[in-house]
Amino acid sequence: MTLDLSTYAADNGIKYFMISYTDLFGGQRAKLVPAQAIADMQKDGAGFAGFATWLDLTPAHPDLFAVPDASSVIRLPWKRDVAWVAADCVMEDQPVDQAPRVVLKKLVAEAAAQGLRVKTGVEPEFFLISPDGSKISDDYDTAEKPCYDQQAVMRRYDVIAEICDYMLELGWKPYQNDHEDANGQFEMNWEYDDALQTADKHSFFKFMVKSVAEKHGLRATFMPKPFKGLTGNGCHAHISVWDAEGKSNAFADKAMPFGLSAQGRTFLGGIMKHASALAAITNPTVNSYKRINAPRTVSGATWAPNTVTWTGNNRTHMVRVPGPGRFELRLPDGAVNPYLLQAIIIAAGLSGIRTQADPGRHYDIDMYKDGHTVTDAPKLPLNLLDALREYEKDAELQAALGTGFSAAYLKLKHGEWNTYCAQFTSWEHATTLDI
Ligand code: ADP
Ligand code: MG
Ligand code: MG
């Protein structure tokens, strides 16, 4: 039964709802709706001018309505009279094909029609930086190998513990927090869930981390590579597929290599087959390609892949199988759209199952040291344009995410690339002036 948001407001002392949707560039857009008006909004949605956000709509399009999915409602733990609710975009009573949450729901339904339930966990790393964005926020955080730095994580205890307390309160089952591999970088982990729930939590997590950081006079960034020479922000995804009831993990088979079942292997085969194209989604910004393909960082490793390879419990590859019944895709970065991340995983994985795709040989080498010895695996795209062109070549993946979505995404992302190319950089001035 659908939760009635009016009743929810009365029961919980909610004064305002944030009706929120995520656009194609991952921007979260919301209207603040007083509880007195939520009954109509729950039925009809909140009205937006779609053109004003990144959805490839024109000013002439009719109103876009964001219809709240009441099951996603979360009371803001840091502002208890407000509740956030994820919404689905609708126009003239039809779902908007290119809206990321609509795309994901379609793929979740496709998996369900095959009796499959994709469950994932994400690891969205972030930096705590100065409010003007120019540097990390902790002047003492300068170690060459700062990962798990006990002293540094405790200097940010007030921020990290506040966020973790909120996740405990929300029932997300968080289980660890640490200082990550770059100065100023942190990671917080909570338990995996169904793909749509993970996407909603991932969106809300970004909102929460930014909000709590701001409350403490800091700023949080998920930018893929905010500082040259330091490890970037990854957003690894751990993936498993379950039966329709969510009771039995279809990826688990102890008798198979790495404990990954035959179905798990074909799902992985789909990810491997479509890797170069799916980078257009998992690594969606110009800056993303400064994280993958990066030179060595100060800490000694980028922790990001540059080649389409998989392996067992070894963090130097694009895919790691850390233990039985799941695998980790290490390609996505902090700029990834939470909904499109899940959608592209399901799309590529279902393609793999459908075509019985083989993931190919696994490499058990240190890719950072011996990557040059791998001659039969594609290199990941070198920049956003490369990735967009790979996505353009991949008709199967385009169709799986929807031709309407794919056309809109490619159009807007090519526009972003063209804007980037029109920048006049100090580097080209310095290297070309005297030619
Ligand atoms: P690591 O840093 O070793 O990659 P983390 O502990 O930081 O691992 O993150 C692991 C993520 O994988 C968590 O979100 C966890 O809940 C999730 N996870 C664990 N088991 C599964 C599974 N069977 N299916 C999907 N996700 C899983
Ligand atoms: Mg981790
Ligand atoms: Mg990881």
Side-chain angles (χ1 to χ4, degrees), residues 34-67:
Q36 287 83 344
I38 197 65
D40 285 348
M41 293 278 186
Q42 180 163 12
K43 216 165 9 87
D44 304 329
F48 290 80
F51 171 72
T53 71
W54 297 110
L55 281 175
D56 190 31
L57 295 169
T58 71
H61 272 99
D63 270 4
L64 175 84
F65 287 95
V67 181

Side-chain angles (χ1 to χ4, degrees), residues 123 176 180 187 189 236 315:
E123 307 172 57
Q176 62 184 6
E180 272 296 318
E187 180 177 315
N189 301 113
H236 306 158
R315 294 172 193 266

Side-chain angles (χ1 to χ4, degrees), residues 123 175-176 187 189-190 192 238 240 315 320 328:
E123 307 172 57
Y175 59 89
Q176 62 184 6
E187 180 177 315
N189 301 113
W190 69 92
Y192 65 99
H238 288 248
S240 56
R315 294 172 193 266
R320 171 175 78 116
E328 177 189 31

Side-chain angles (χ1 to χ4, degrees), residues 8-9 40 52 90 112 169 171 181 212 226-227 231 233 245 262 291 304 306 321 398:
Y8 177 86
D40 285 348
V90 169
E169 178 186 326
D181 192 55
V212 174
F227 300 106
T231 300
N233 281 324
E245 288 77 46
R291 171 180 163 265
N306 58 25
V321 187
Q398 282 192 54

Side-chain angles (χ1 to χ4, degrees), residues 306-337:
N306 58 25
T307 310
V308 183
T309 55
W310 73 284
T311 186
N313 198 352
N314 167 342
R315 294 172 193 266
T316 65
H317 293 259
M318 186 188 83
V319 170
R320 171 175 78 116
V321 187
R326 66 173 149 142
F327 66 82
E328 177 189 31
L329 179 62
R330 300 176 57 83
L331 181 57
D333 64 47
V336 72
N337 184 310

Side-chain angles (χ1 to χ4, degrees), residues 82-103:
V82 180
W84 176 95
V85 59
D88 295 315
C89 296
V90 169
M91 189 176 285
E92 295 185 322
D93 297 325
Q94 294 303 313
V96 175
D97 286 344
Q98 66 270 36
R101 201 170 187 273
V102 172
V103 175

